[in-house]
Amino acid sequence: MAIKWNDLNHKNSPEKREAIRHEAKDELERIGFGKLRQARQLTQVQLAERLDVPQAAISRMERRTDLLLSTLREYVEGMGGQLELRATFPEGGEFLLDPLVGSLVASSARKRMRG
C-alpha cells in the first residue's frame, strides 16, 4: 500500500515544514529549471513543442518552487533525460525511489500544464 506524502509530512512541526519548503526553494533556485533547459540547448518553445503544451506553461513551471513529481518527470523526459528520485540518510543509507517516479501518470501532468 502506498503512503501519501501528506500522511508523512503532517508528523513534522510547522517550523520543520517551513524549513523544508525554504530548503527546497533554495535548491530549486540554485539549480534553476531554466538553467537546466538552457544547458540542454533548448528554448522554452522547443520544450513546449516536445511536451505538447503552450510555451507559457513552460515559463510558469520554471518560475515555480513547488512541482508535482509527475510534472518534473515530464519536463526532464521532454529534454531527453530520466528522472531518478533518491532518499539519502545521514547514517549512509541511500534508496532509489524508482517505483514512486515510475508510477506517476504523465498525462495528468500534461493536463495541469495546459490549464
Side-chain angles (χ1 to χ4, degrees), residues 49-115:
E49 288 172 355
R50 288 183 181 192
L51 296 176
D52 191 30
V53 298
Q55 175 273 329
I58 301 299
S59 177
R60 280 192 310 271
M61 190 181 69
E62 289 181 354
R63 289 190 313 262
R64 293 195 56 173
T65 57
D66 183 19
L67 291 174
L68 294 173
L69 287 176
S70 56
T71 303
L72 178 57
R73 176 178 176 235
E74 186 162 305
Y75 183 86
V76 170
E77 288 178 354
M79 292 184 282
Q82 181 178 346
L83 181 65
E84 287 187 356
L85 182 62
R86 293 184 184 277
T88 57
F89 298 92
E91 61 274 5
E94 182 175 297
F95 300 91
L96 178 62
L97 302 172
D98 191 48
L100 278 177
V101 176
S103 66
L104 299 172
V105 180
S107 65
S108 65
R110 195 170 9 264
K111 289 176 189 172
R112 280 188 300 281
M113 288 175 72
R114 285 185 186 141

